[in-house]
Amino acid sequence: MEENHFISKKATPIPWTTHWEAPSNIALIKYWGKTAPQIPKNPSLSFTLSSSVTQTQVVFEPTSPGAFDFNFYFEGVAKPDFKPKLQTLFKRIGSYIPWIQGYQLTIKSHNTFPHSSGIASSASAMAALAMCLMDLEQKLVPDLEPEFFHQKASFLARLGSGSAARSIQGPVTLWGVNKMQDRSSNLYAIPFGPDLHPVFSTYQDAILLVDKGTKAVSSSQGHQLMHQHPFASQRFLQAAANLEALVPVMKAGDLEAFIKIVELEALSLHAMMMTSNPYFILMKPQTLSIIEKIWEFRASTSIPVCFTLDAGANVHILYPQDFKIQVNAFIQDELAVFCQKGQYLLDQVGEGAKKV
Ligand code: DP6
């Protein structure tokens, strides 16, 4: 499908207020490396989360014809520092939503997860804003098909932050052309579909907050470093192969095979960071201590618990709902000690963005 499929018509501005929430997501197959405009070098697959969400209200006020501006408030406070990232988004998406000309926007946003927890909020934030934009587009251009509505929301979110494309729907989404899904696209994410084994639609994700500080190297810089990376082409092939292996495993509910692929992906992502030029390490000693403890616990109990990592030191612990009591007790008793101020968040797989 071509980008121009998503170009909407102009429309007369109307006053409109809308409020949406969108969740964060955690990738099992990692997106790390891209070309302009936000086209991934390999397909990725993620769990959509449930309680870690951004809630965004947008007030659209008609202003002078052809004019466009916005104000942004985060947790009730005006945040001019966030303006450049949003300006980049509006520049990238302007031609797809030409009806935006003639509006003044007031965007108010807050997260349900703790501020500066190290959880990537750009995915949930860009997805929530994309849903607010699509909400007005649906009003201005009636009869949008639900599938188009979600695909275009994912397309707009992707242009704000790549991983945000995967935060529109749930419980598992795929972004990027791949052999497993004929309808897959580099332009937007699509749901895994009805073949997903039910164990994964209630999977648990405990996010262990190891380091809440600002990361030494941002995701944007990390993606850039993949351009000259000596192992980049092999990594993109590996990710595509891991996705092809993971899809049947997630249809079958084969947890042993799931664990092997998911942990391999997490460590491969960090291996790319450690072998970039300049090299960097985002894991902390506690990250490794947690991983070792998980491996010991899994070996001694046979409970199918595993970990993944995003671009930071925090550890996401993944496990089936049936083992929630045992794993949550293990986290509290043996892993909380490795977290900053003992903090961790218990979340689970969810259904995607919702109107508030
Ligand atoms: C390691 O989506 O944050 O979390 O497109 O530059 O905004 P931009 O990058 P971003 O990268 C996410 C990297 C990751 C892996 C993933 O979520 O797939």
Side-chain angles (χ1 to χ4, degrees):
M1 194 183 289
E2 297 295 321
E3 279 93 334
N4 52 21
H5 174 67
F6 291 119
I7 300 175
S8 176
K9 298 191 202 88
K10 289 193 173 165
T12 310
I14 55 164
W16 191 249
T17 298
T18 184
H19 199 176
W20 282 78
E21 67 172 47
S24 188
N25 69 75
I26 180 66
L28 306 177
I29 304 294
K30 310 291 183 181
Y31 147 61
W32 198 243
K34 62 176 169 181
T35 51
Q38 301 285 90
I39 298 297
K41 286 289 212 173
N42 63 260
S44 58
L45 177 152
S46 53
F47 277 144
T48 304
L49 297 183
S50 174
S51 12
S52 308
V53 304
T54 298
Q55 293 188 333
T56 299
Q57 186 200 54
V58 182
V59 180
F60 298 84
E61 287 169 285
T63 174
S64 343
F68 171 74
D69 201 4
F70 65 90
N71 292 312
F72 179 72
Y73 299 84
F74 182 68
E75 317 219 305
V77 183
K79 288 274 176 187
D81 330 352
F82 287 24
K83 242 188 148 164
K85 200 158 183 185
L86 287 167
Q87 261 155 350
T88 305
L89 169 76
F90 283 114
K91 222 170 135 191
R92 286 185 185 152
I93 67 177
S95 58
Y96 302 102
I97 51 167
W99 50 259
I100 198 82
Q101 295 303 322
Y103 281 105
Q104 166 73 38
L105 271 50
T106 304
I107 306 169
K108 292 184 179 168
S109 189
H110 79 268
N111 294 339
T112 56
F113 42 92
H115 189 45
S116 310
S117 59
I119 296 185
S121 58
S122 61
S124 51
M126 291 298 174
L129 179 56
M131 291 307 272
C132 292
L133 295 170
M134 285 311 293
D135 190 89
L136 177 54
E137 177 160 315
Q138 191 165 41
K139 174 77 187 162
L140 297 172
V141 187
D143 304 324
L144 295 183
E145 292 292 331
E147 188 179 60
F148 176 89
F149 178 89
H150 287 114
Q151 285 179 354
K152 184 164 175 183
S154 174
F155 172 87
L156 297 177
R158 178 197 112 239
L159 290 168
S161 176
S163 54
R166 302 186 312 242
S167 273
I168 301 294
Q169 289 177 284
V172 174
T173 65
L174 294 115
W175 168 42
V177 170
N178 65 81
K179 288 188 190 153
M180 305 312 289
Q181 283 266 12
D182 295 345
R183 295 164 45 254
S184 61
S185 171
N186 285 337
L187 302 180
Y188 51 82
I190 56 173
F192 188 97
D195 296 345
L196 181 71
H197 190 281
V199 71
F200 295 114
S201 52
T202 56
Y203 230 66
Q204 306 293 300
D205 179 12
I207 308 160
L208 272 54
L209 306 177
V210 167
D211 185 24
K212 306 202 293 172
T214 316
K215 286 182 272 183
V217 179
S218 69
S219 289
S220 307
Q221 290 165 311
H223 284 291
Q224 282 305 316
L225 289 171
M226 289 302 281
H227 287 303
Q228 284 88 36
H229 199 292
F231 307 143
S233 56
Q234 280 307 312
R235 164 60 198 154
F236 303 142
L237 291 173
Q238 180 203 30
N242 283 342
L243 183 127
E244 282 169 35
L246 186 60
V247 168
V249 158
M250 291 186 79
K251 288 181 182 170
D254 178 349
L255 297 183
E256 208 178 307
F258 173 82
I259 288 170
K260 284 192 183 136
I261 300 167
V262 168
E263 292 189 346
L264 173 62
E265 269 294 305
L267 295 179
S268 298
L269 168 71
H270 283 257
M272 289 300 109
M273 299 172 187
M274 290 192 242
T275 49
S276 291
N277 188 4
Y279 48 82
F280 60 104
I281 301 179
L282 295 184
M283 289 190 280
K284 297 281 177 201
Q286 302 90 303
T287 311
L288 292 178
S289 301
I290 292 168
I291 292 173
E292 282 180 352
K293 285 274 179 194
I294 292 171
W295 285 345
E296 279 168 28
F297 179 78
R298 189 164 78 216
S300 64
T301 61
S302 298
I303 291 178
V305 52
C306 69
F307 72 86
T308 190
L309 306 167
D310 60 12
N314 297 336
V315 183
H316 287 249
I317 303 190
L318 306 174
Y319 46 103
Q321 192 179 35
D322 284 354
F323 296 100
K324 195 170 163 177
I325 293 171
Q326 296 96 309
V327 177
N328 290 2
F330 160 63
I331 292 170
Q332 180 57 40
D333 298 345
E334 296 192 44
L335 303 182
V337 57
F338 298 112
C339 302
Q340 249 187 28
K341 299 195 187 134
Q343 280 185 301
Y344 59 89
L345 307 170
L346 297 176
D347 206 339
Q348 64 172 31
V349 164
E351 285 305 319
K354 291 198 243 334
K355 197 161 191 166
V356 178

